[in-house]
Amino acid sequence: NVLPACLLLALLLLAPALGAQQEKGLIINLEIGELCLQSIQCKSGCCHRANGLSLARCASKAAEFQECSPKSIYGVYYKCPCESGLTCEADKSIVGSITNSNFGVCKDPQDSYRR
């Protein structure tokens, strides 16, 4: 409950600066490599962290055959979700979702229809 309150406070305090920085982004519309708290802040739609102790940064979505995570309610990923048009074939169990260990591989769903 503390993190959402802190995020809200930060957004309120930085709102005036946001208007002056619309194209680059200060809180939202962040570029790849910029620090983030939630994926919604990133232009790419993926706020990624390498491990539980690292800072999260905006990253590119996963391409075909790269490791991925299914879309999550947490907003921060250890593996980014797939690019548009691809699906993340992963174990979608509740345990995997809670532990954030349900990684898979991005695949083109059209490939399965062609076979």
Side-chain angles (χ1 to χ4, degrees):
N1 289 342
V2 174
L3 182 60
C6 290
L7 182 59
L8 181 61
L9 181 60
L11 288 172
L12 290 173
L13 292 173
L14 296 173
L18 183 61
Q21 288 254 304
Q22 278 185 341
E23 61 279 343
K24 183 186 181 300
L26 183 60
I27 296 174
I28 57 170
N29 220 18
L30 300 176
E31 300 289 341
I32 290 172
E34 292 188 276
L35 293 172
C36 54
L37 295 173
Q38 295 283 319
S39 290
I40 196 166
Q41 294 178 276
C42 304
K43 279 185 182 180
S44 67
C46 179
C47 185
H48 170 268
R49 77 171 65 234
N51 58 55
L53 299 176
S54 63
L55 294 173
R57 295 182 179 274
C58 294
S60 299
K61 286 198 173 177
E64 191 170 13
F65 306 117
Q66 288 185 332
E67 280 191 300
C68 58
S69 291
K71 294 252 182 203
S72 164
I73 59 169
Y74 299 121
V76 178
Y77 297 95
Y78 289 105
K79 306 286 182 190
C80 286
C82 300
E83 294 174 339
S84 182
L86 301 176
T87 59
C88 186
E89 293 190 7
D91 172 23
K92 294 184 171 103
S93 69
I94 292 175
V95 173
S97 296
I98 292 169
T99 61
N100 205 10
S101 62
N102 54 342
F103 306 131
V105 175
C106 291
K107 297 202 175 168
D108 185 345
Q110 297 298 321
D111 286 346
S112 62
Y113 298 124
R114 294 179 195 145
R115 293 182 189 173

